[in-house]
Amino acid sequence: MPVLNALTIDVEDWYHVCGLPGEPVVSPDTERVVPAVGRLLALLARRGCRATFFLLGSVAQRHPGLAPSIAEAGHEIASHGWSHRLVTGLSPEEFRTELRRTGDLLERQTGRRPVGFRAPQWSLCRRRTPWAFPILRDEGYRYDSSLSPLPFVGDRRGPRGPFRIDTPAGPLVEVPPLVTRTPLGNLPTGGGWGFRFFPLGLIGASVAGLNRRGMPAVLYVHPREVDPEGPRLALPPLRSFVAYGPRSDAAPRLDALLERFSFTTLDQLVDRWDTV
Ligand SMILES: [Zn+2]
């Protein structure tokens, strides 16, 4: 039986670029998240594939039909926090408030409370935000997908497959995103600029390599990455490269990987892994 992988979508708009000091002021008529999610839903439906959508609470509030339309298509609704502020910039109380506000809203909109969380820009950290893990568990979350084994934004020596984190409030399953191991360090091939930049053959080989060891690969994509005509914030060159360039349309690559490998939602993947 093939190993199941997980496709995850961080549902935010074109201007929710990681690490900005606050949410930029944009005109509501430039918002693109709904049609871009629609394109992803159509692609997934064509391939008969289910995915996990991490929604920002602020986006779900602005577009109240969005979470229900994703859930009705059979996908998992999970939480990306409320404001897109980095967890490292929040107090424990602010983090709990963001989680609860997003969980309450998504439950009201879809009838189910999310059990999965992903922090903006991999900003959960066992060293810098150890208090966040028991809060997640306490607020009803079963798994987290925010610890990336990457230099600079994560723990470059961190595990590449799922692992358990024991907290005073109970265990959490941590599911890291796909990276590619090289002698120079891990490459961010699982999503974002790396997914659009590195050769598709390398990404496919990385998924296959993990699957051969019985481990799932977790891919991630943002709606703006399948919206090549969308507006762009004026950013310094490195930030602009990470957010928008290169190869502005990730959809053909995603489609090729959905055809080649088997994918499911993160909650299903955690269910299977938890019983091993
Ligand atoms: Zn994000």
Side-chain angles (χ1 to χ4, degrees), residues 10 12 16 18 80 84 120-121 222:
D10 293 356
E12 54 197 51
H16 287 110
C18 285
H80 195 33
H84 216 244
Q121 200 182 302
H222 303 87

Side-chain angles (χ1 to χ4, degrees), residues 25-60:
V25 180
V26 298
S27 159
D29 59 12
T30 68
E31 297 199 347
R32 306 273 294 195
V33 68
V34 173
V37 166
R39 189 176 179 210
L40 283 164
L41 289 175
L43 190 155
L44 289 163
R46 271 201 309 279
R47 292 279 171 216
C49 170
R50 296 173 65 218
T52 294
F53 287 71
F54 290 100
L55 274 89
L56 269 187
S58 58
V59 166

